[in-house]
Amino acid sequence: MTLTSWPFALFVAAALIVYYLIPRRFQNRWLLVASYVFYATWTWFFPVVLAVLTAATYTVGRGCRGSRRWLLAGIGLNLGCLALLKYAPPLLAASAPAGFLLPVGLSFQVLQAISYLVDVHRGQTAPDGNPWDFALYLAYFPKLLAGPIERARTFLPQLARPRVVDDAAVTRAFALIVIGLVRKVVIADGLSELVPAHAFDDPLRSEMSGLSLATTLLAFAFLLLNDFAGYTSLVRGVSLLFGIELSPNFQLPYLARNFTEFWNRWHITLSAWLRDYVYFPVSRVLLRRNPSARHLPNVIGPPMVAMLVSGLWHEASLHMLVWGALHGAYQAMERVRASRGPVVPPDKWSAARQARARLFVFALVTLTWLPFRTGLQSCALFLWGMAHSVAHPGLARVEYPVYLLIALALLIDWIQHRGRDELVFLRWPSAARIAALAAALLAIALASLGVAARTFVYQEF
Amino acid sequence: MEASKVRDELKAYIRTNLLHDPAYPLADDEPLITAGLMDSFSLAQIAVFIETSFGVNLPDNDLTVPNMDTLELIVARVMAGPSGA
């Protein structure tokens, strides 16, 4: 069931009606049932895997406070499940059994399960006494497919509290849903239609000029952001209707002035997970051996390991590892540079320096999406095509609506940046609000006409 | 362990090793992370410094903006001890 489809809208409506008709004490159970039904719309196999993983993690979690052996068993179990279902089939290729499918969202569920186990082991989260609430923590349908990656210590207390869904919450929820739909259906799906996939997979056969290839890459950068930010906005809005707040995942990442800032703004819940469970532990081990901030392994090690894990988490492939290694290298180089003189926060830089830094980070991030999107051989051909066919006016060009959609994405980012609030639109005068809403709904309706709902990019991970 | 001694040692460490400016006029309530003066790596450095200097082991999940954004917050966290109680 695609989240931008009518069946999903009807599913949410039905879930909401029952949710508000039944007594409060049954609401969590109802959400759990609805989540498993939602998951079963793909195949029966997915909820079975989730139920087994949930039962095993819950059981291990009850024994792993202070026990390293139980903790390692729980982490091994989750990673083993991920390795078996995500990494083994591509490696086994043709010999993989038929129907051996990767459950959608399994990578996200595994990260949440591991964070729960580690936090229980450290004594920072009490092992949950209610198995059904714990099951809902992993299965809650708005975040089931691609996060946000929630922590048990912030999610589970919400399940225990009374739900407050007042007028302000409903307004916020619908605003998030509309922004999410504009980003996904209008911008991301629009760019997806216009950007030819073979430009990445077979750049030379695409016969595109260098400028068109560069524009294609630029369009992919905005497609990826708006696809995932749109998804997050949409599911946060849906979740708010049930009175449950999910974490934001994006904060205008293409306006970052350095790479550390970029990762604090892009896929925030994954970055926070990597920081807490990979970056900090690696940093501590290295700093205990040599406390100098200028010691090279201390500078390179933590970001490189964290970003390689990130690459591997996305996909077990060489090109994704290269993507991770490049981002690790960017952060390491930034640290070396920062250690040469007094720290000056980006907010205190001159406007010109901030603009230069934003452009530099955006350009490098965009170029680095290339190994994120396609294999290394295609990356090389793509870069060769960009550099060598600039002067071929007869070659295929990118269609002009691509520029309009990028401009629309930038406009939304700019408005949110200026207002320092993703829901700044709600503070506009009522006439402007109504006009913006009408324009958004019209754009969503026009973009949906005759086009099948597309899945989200991050659902694939 | 006195709070004033912890504050002085932490202030000197932050100025010299994290801000690379021993003369920086660091105020006790000046935001460090939200103002962009410190990042994740700096937090790990402070945690290891606190561990070796004051014998207080701050868990990774405690290295957050609400706990570590200002010098006075960090001092309070150190004085609360390993459990943070």
Side-chain angles (χ1 to χ4, degrees):
Chain A
M1 195 188 296
T2 309
L3 300 194
T4 52
S5 65
W6 281 110
F8 180 72
L10 293 174
F11 171 81
V12 171
L16 275 169
I17 290 169
V18 176
Y19 186 75
Y20 285 108
L21 283 177
I22 58 178
R24 165 72 187 89
R25 65 181 185 279
F26 297 127
Q27 284 182 329
N28 290 348
R29 300 285 169 85
W30 167 244
L31 281 179
L32 182 62
V33 170
S35 298
Y36 269 80
V37 168
F38 170 69
Y39 210 22
T41 58
W42 271 265
T43 156
W44 61 269
F45 177 61
F46 291 0
V48 169
V49 171
L50 179 60
V52 170
L53 196 72
T54 302
T57 305
Y58 180 77
T59 308
V60 173
R62 294 186 74 78
C64 83
R65 171 164 280 187
S67 166
R68 199 174 173 80
R69 194 173 292 176
W70 278 94
L71 172 69
L72 291 176
I75 293 175
L77 194 123
N78 274 278
L79 291 181
C81 182
L82 189 64
L84 181 72
L85 293 169
K86 178 168 179 169
Y87 302 130
L91 297 176
L92 297 171
S95 59
F100 209 67
L101 289 171
L102 168 68
V104 183
L106 182 69
S107 312
F108 294 86
Q109 294 148 24
V110 163
L111 292 189
Q112 291 176 115
I114 290 175
S115 74
Y116 170 76
L117 292 171
V118 174
D119 289 357
V120 168
H121 174 71
R122 290 170 172 169
Q124 292 167 326
T125 297
D128 198 72
N130 185 334
W132 306 113
D133 281 0
F134 178 75
L136 182 56
Y137 163 58
L138 290 186
Y140 184 46
F141 77 89
K143 68 175 181 65
L144 183 61
L145 305 184
I149 301 163
E150 297 292 340
R151 304 293 174 85
R153 62 177 180 276
T154 53
F155 188 84
L156 289 172
Q158 289 200 68
L159 297 184
R161 281 199 295 266
R163 307 287 144 74
V164 181
V165 186
D166 52 15
D167 288 352
V170 171
T171 306
R172 277 185 65 215
F174 279 108
L176 283 168
I177 290 170
V178 170
I179 293 170
L181 287 174
V182 170
R183 283 195 182 275
K184 168 62 180 166
V185 178
V186 180
I187 299 172
D189 288 356
L191 288 171
S192 218
E193 285 284 324
L194 295 165
V195 171
H198 60 263
F200 292 105
D201 301 331
D202 193 353
L204 296 189
R205 195 174 61 85
S206 71
E207 296 188 341
M208 295 174 85
S209 70
L211 190 62
S212 294
L213 284 175
T215 310
T216 302
L217 186 55
L218 185 72
F220 177 72
F222 282 96
L223 185 163
L224 193 61
L225 169 64
N226 285 279
D227 187 274
F228 200 12
Y231 159 85
T232 308
S233 188
L234 178 63
V235 299
R236 284 176 63 215
V238 168
S239 185
L240 263 183
L241 293 174
F242 292 93
I244 294 174
E245 185 103 32
L246 295 179
S247 306
N249 245 347
F250 291 87
Q251 202 186 347
L252 310 172
Y254 290 155
L255 296 179
R257 295 154 295 188
N258 56 49
F259 288 96
T260 306
E261 192 182 14
F262 175 78
W263 285 108
N264 285 330
R265 289 165 171 258
W266 179 279
H267 203 172
I268 295 168
T269 55
L270 175 65
S271 296
W273 193 97
L274 289 168
R275 183 197 62 210
D276 288 349
Y277 302 107
V278 180
Y279 190 100
F280 280 154
V282 172
S283 293
R284 283 191 196 238
V285 168
L286 293 169
L287 285 163
R288 280 179 192 135
R289 289 182 181 171
N290 184 337
S292 168
R294 290 191 171 91
H295 185 53
L296 214 53
N298 292 356
V299 177
I300 297 173
M304 193 56 85
V305 173
M307 292 313 300
L308 285 174
V309 169
S310 178
L312 197 61
W313 175 81
H314 282 88
E315 187 184 303
S317 65
L318 188 59
H319 64 93
M320 209 55 105
L321 280 174
V322 168
W323 170 79
L326 285 169
H327 272 284
Y330 300 153
Q331 289 178 62
M333 284 189 279
E334 208 163 70
R335 287 216 59 82
V336 170
R337 192 160 176 260
S339 67
R340 285 184 183 160
V343 173
V344 180
D347 283 344
K348 292 189 177 169
W349 295 352
S350 68
R353 186 179 171 193
Q354 290 195 43
R356 278 200 309 274
R358 284 191 169 114
L359 206 58
F360 176 75
V361 172
F362 175 71
L364 223 47
V365 165
T366 300
L367 264 180
T368 314
W369 285 134
L370 207 45
F372 183 92
R373 170 63 179 78
T374 190
L376 292 182
Q377 194 182 349
S378 300
C379 283
L381 292 173
F382 194 100
L383 290 173
W384 188 88
M386 260 170 60
H388 287 85
S389 59
V390 176
H392 289 210
L395 294 179
R397 289 177 185 186
V398 173
E399 294 176 59
Y400 78 90
V402 165
Y403 300 102
L404 288 180
L405 291 174
I406 291 175
L408 177 61
L410 283 171
L411 177 68
I412 295 173
D413 284 355
W414 183 78
I415 292 170
Q416 292 178 325
H417 173 66
R418 290 278 294 180
R420 294 176 182 271
D421 179 5
E422 63 180 335
L423 297 179
V424 60
F425 310 96
L426 294 179
R427 300 204 309 264
W428 285 2
S430 48
R433 259 198 336 256
I434 291 167
L437 179 65
L441 293 178
L442 184 65
I444 293 166
L446 288 174
S448 312
L449 280 179
V451 179
R454 284 176 181 267
T455 56
F456 293 90
V457 175
Y458 261 73
Q459 238 173 274
E460 309 295 320
F461 300 127
Chain B
M1 192 161 60
E2 288 176 24
S4 58
K5 187 170 175 289
V6 171
R7 176 180 291 107
D8 292 344
E9 285 191 36
L10 273 171
K11 188 181 271 192
Y13 179 80
I14 290 171
R15 282 167 163 171
T16 310
N17 295 284
L18 305 182
L19 306 182
H20 308 293
D21 182 2
Y24 185 85
L26 181 63
D28 287 1
D29 59 351
E30 182 171 355
L32 293 165
I33 306 165
T34 48
L37 284 166
M38 281 184 5
D39 59 18
S40 310
F41 188 75
S42 309
L43 283 175
Q45 278 179 276
I46 287 199
V48 172
F49 173 73
I50 289 171
E51 195 179 301
T52 50
S53 303
F54 311 119
V56 175
N57 192 343
L58 301 185
D60 292 332
N61 285 349
D62 272 10
L63 307 180
T64 57
V65 172
N67 284 339
M68 310 286 285
D69 200 28
T70 65
L71 182 61
E72 65 188 2
L73 281 171
I74 301 172
V75 172
R77 183 61 193 84
V78 173
M79 297 309 292
S83 66

